[in-house]
Amino acid sequence: SVLAQCMKDGGSQGECEGRAVRIANAKAKGTAESTDVSFSMPILEASILDKDKGIYDLTLIKEGSTEDKKRYYPRTTLERAVSLFEGAQAFVDHPSKSEMKERPERSVRDLIGYYESAQVSETSDGVKLKAKLITSDAQAWIRPILNMAVTNPKLCGSSIHADGTVTPKAKDGMDLVESIDSVFSVDIVTK
């Protein structure tokens, strides 16, 4: 069922087979589970690369625990996921559960851009997965909000909508994100 759903969602045969095998193996061992590994964070680490064209450099995930201490993202997970963020879509807001059921592909009206130049880098502040957000001229209304969020991180944040493999309570009582297997989008959200 995992293979069929992945293919239906637009994944390649190889990518989907690999994901299905990893999930089957994890379930057989009883150690991990496939789950939504969506991750939200304020736009605390962002810079404006081109204000007129709407290009932003964003930190998408940091190595370590999430602010709520529920999940832990190891460096190896970030490194293996880099290619999944290349070309990932950016929407405004996450879809509701009913919207995901009725229109899982999302609406082009909510599409504000895409991500490129994804990379993992080590800084004095830790290991981070970063990418450039390229916003669409057709959705230029989002740029003033993003510009404000660079200086006021409480205004909005970025939120990854993804699936992956998680081992419950495996890292100091936190769920250990073993892998990010598919990235649906990285959306701009309020919380």
Side-chain angles (χ1 to χ4, degrees):
S1 68
V2 170
L3 175 62
Q5 185 61 47
C6 181
M7 296 292 291
K8 182 180 173 189
D9 291 340
S12 71
Q13 182 78 27
E15 174 188 35
C16 292
E17 286 174 352
R19 181 169 190 266
V21 168
R22 282 191 305 276
I23 290 168
N25 286 339
K27 287 195 182 279
K29 292 177 190 173
T31 58
E33 58 189 49
S34 174
T35 188
D36 178 8
V37 293
S38 298
F39 176 83
S40 298
M41 67 182 287
I43 301 185
L44 292 175
E45 298 182 19
S47 58
I48 301 168
L49 299 177
D50 188 322
K51 194 172 187 174
D52 295 329
K53 292 183 180 178
I55 302 174
Y56 304 85
D57 186 36
L58 297 180
T59 296
L60 303 179
I61 310 175
K62 293 181 188 180
E63 175 188 32
S65 63
T66 55
E67 285 185 25
D68 62 8
K69 305 283 188 218
K70 290 183 178 179
R71 290 204 174 132
Y72 186 89
Y73 288 80
R75 179 184 188 138
T76 54
T77 297
L78 304 185
E79 291 171 340
R80 288 191 311 258
V82 168
S83 64
L84 299 174
F85 289 91
E86 199 63 38
Q89 295 173 313
F91 290 90
V92 290
D93 302 321
H94 276 325
S96 66
K97 287 182 182 182
S98 64
E99 289 169 329
M100 278 303 293
K101 189 175 184 177
E102 294 167 13
R103 183 185 270 182
E105 71 277 4
R106 313 278 299 269
S107 173
V108 72
R109 288 181 188 93
D110 299 328
L111 182 66
I112 60 166
Y114 66 95
Y115 293 86
E116 70 176 22
S117 304
Q119 64 182 11
V120 171
S121 59
E122 192 163 344
T123 68
S124 60
D125 193 27
V127 176
K128 302 167 184 176
L129 192 155
K130 300 178 79 164
K132 291 179 186 173
L133 169 59
I134 313 298
T135 60
S136 166
D137 287 338
Q139 298 285 20
W141 63 267
I142 193 70
R143 295 174 186 166
I145 295 170
L146 292 171
N147 294 341
M148 288 172 53
V150 169
T151 56
N152 179 4
K154 292 181 180 179
L155 186 63
C156 64
S158 61
S159 185
I160 296 167
H161 182 64
D163 274 340
T165 303
V166 174
T167 303
K169 311 295 182 201
K171 176 71 172 166
D172 301 326
M174 294 177 281
D175 294 346
L176 178 64
V177 180
E178 301 277 355
S179 66
I180 297 172
D181 301 320
S182 57
V183 174
F184 305 115
S185 62
V186 181
D187 303 331
I188 302 302
V189 298
T190 57
K191 299 284 184 204

